[in-house]
DNA sequence: TTATTATGGACACTACAGGTCTATAATAAT
DNA sequence: ATTATTATAGACCTGTAGTGTCCATAATAA
């Protein structure tokens, strides 16, 4: 259970864009060399970020990528969900087993049965709680918050050239 | 990014053991049929749980598995770490890239340099925070807490026979 | 001694992460 | 218009981890 390298690259790429001068898009060459990763692979990741609306891209001479929202509006959760997908952290298999008949909440068979169509396992319930906590934390951390932290510690090297 | 099926099976198996009569170990046959999974695969998982000290196993006639601690002392985190391993949720690659020289905390190069040998990236820092939060939540939920919840909802079917 | 049960190793299959390469499309500069 | 540049999409490859089966062996109780 680990986040993929792609998530790593995506986060660092967005940080680089966020740290760059506004209205000055940066190409895949610069991005790749800064992160220490191949252009071909990184461009795959950037495409994904574009498809989900986190960055804009313009081809052609002096083209490149730029953030499509402000750095405060791009959370860690956004980035992670784009790269890792939005499936649940945990899903029971064998939901028709004897275990699940025991552990599923009985009241869903009661009057508010139609509220949630599926009969939820208590294990699943705990894990969904975990996921919600995790998401909340990741929503509270943005590209900007990391940049703030970096500047606070005295790394004042912006990318102006 | 998902927990494996093995973790699913392990959690449900331990719940079954926890719900069973004390001092009465249950065999792989019963366990597997209750969970709706093959005996061969489940036994692999049970072995892992045994190696890490969560259950005891006795071979031979009327053998089987039993919890080696009380249900309050087995947390979700315990189970997950046995099955998924104990690697970090996130680890930066290319820690020698230009990005990391920018994002690593400068003060670690200061007087307390030897406190933590490695120069930590701020992205990594955020993700470790996330992991800590997740772990804390998972530590607060135990086999017993799920059983309590189940009984509260009126599933009073214990496994006495 | 025997039947039963867990254990460990070998093996197979599949999916996916990680990565490269090439052809194509879009854009700006000339 | 042409050309150089840059992003995009697709095909393709590789290794590894998850999921699972099967069999031989060891340990134990009856």
């Amino acid at each position: 259970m680990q986040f993929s390298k792609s998530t790593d690259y995506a986060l660092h790429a967005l940080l680089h864009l966020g740290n760059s001068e506004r209205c000055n898009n940066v190409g895949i060459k610069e991005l790749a060399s800064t992160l220490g990763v191949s252009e071909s692979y990184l461009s795959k990741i950037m495409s994904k970020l574009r498809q989900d609306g986190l960055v804009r891209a313009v081809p052609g001479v002096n083209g490149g990528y730029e953030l499509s929202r402000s750095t405060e509006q791009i959370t860690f959760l956004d980035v992670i969900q784009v790269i890792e997908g939005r499936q649940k952290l945990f899903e029971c298999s064998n939901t028709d087993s004897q275990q699940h008949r025991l552990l599923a909440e009985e009241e869903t068979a009661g009057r508010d049965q139609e509220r949630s169509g599926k009969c939820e396992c208590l294990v699943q319930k705990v894990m969904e709680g975990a996921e919600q906590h995790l998401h909340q934390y990741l929503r509270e951390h943005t590209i900007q918050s990391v940049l703030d932290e970096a500047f606070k510690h005295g790394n004042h090297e912006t990318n102006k050239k």
Side-chain angles (χ1 to χ4, degrees), chain A:
Chain A
M1 243 277 293
Q2 257 204 163
F3 287 107
S4 64
K5 288 193 175 189
S6 297
T7 294
D8 176 10
Y9 299 151
L11 283 167
H12 281 95
L14 292 175
L15 279 166
H16 186 74
L17 294 185
N19 195 39
S20 289
E21 291 287 278
R22 272 237 151 255
C23 298
N24 175 6
N25 46 22
V26 346
I28 194 70
K29 270 193 177 59
E30 175 180 339
L31 220 39
S33 78
T34 307
L35 301 196
V37 64
S38 81
E39 300 176 23
S40 35
Y41 191 44
L42 185 57
S43 60
K44 285 283 189 59
I45 296 169
M46 296 310 293
S47 285
K48 229 176 198 173
L49 294 177
R50 186 192 58 85
Q51 286 166 9
D52 275 61
L54 292 193
V55 302
R56 271 188 295 264
V58 330
V61 184
N62 293 327
Y65 301 93
E66 61 179 359
L67 299 182
S68 61
R69 308 183 216 153
S70 78
T71 49
E72 297 95 8
Q73 289 173 315
I74 301 180
T75 71
F76 270 60
L77 182 60
D78 291 330
V79 183
I80 287 169
Q81 286 193 326
V82 166
I83 303 297
E84 306 278 340
R86 286 170 178 77
Q87 353 97 23
K88 286 199 205 140
L89 200 62
F90 181 91
E91 265 179 309
C92 284
S93 30
N94 306 98
T95 49
D96 53 345
S97 72
Q98 185 184 337
Q99 266 282 300
H100 278 84
R101 262 175 268 132
L102 262 165
L103 290 177
E105 295 187 89
E106 295 280 334
E107 78 259 28
T108 61
R111 57 187 184 284
D112 51 357
Q113 179 179 2
E114 43 277 325
R115 201 201 48 187
S116 98
K118 48 196 166 195
C119 180
E120 279 231 329
C121 171
L122 290 178
V123 174
Q124 179 86 41
K125 210 88 185 281
V126 171
M127 297 302 276
E128 283 180 3
E131 184 167 10
Q132 287 313 309
H133 276 237
L134 184 60
H135 282 190
Q136 186 52 38
Y137 178 93
L138 293 173
R139 256 190 295 267
E140 289 163 1
H141 289 78
T142 66
I143 300 298
Q144 184 59 45
S145 71
V146 172
L147 292 178
D148 288 344
E149 192 77 9
F151 290 148
K152 203 178 68 180
H153 288 325
N155 325 34
H156 294 288
E157 321 297 331
T158 68
N159 287 26
K160 49 187 71 163
K161 183 165 52 205

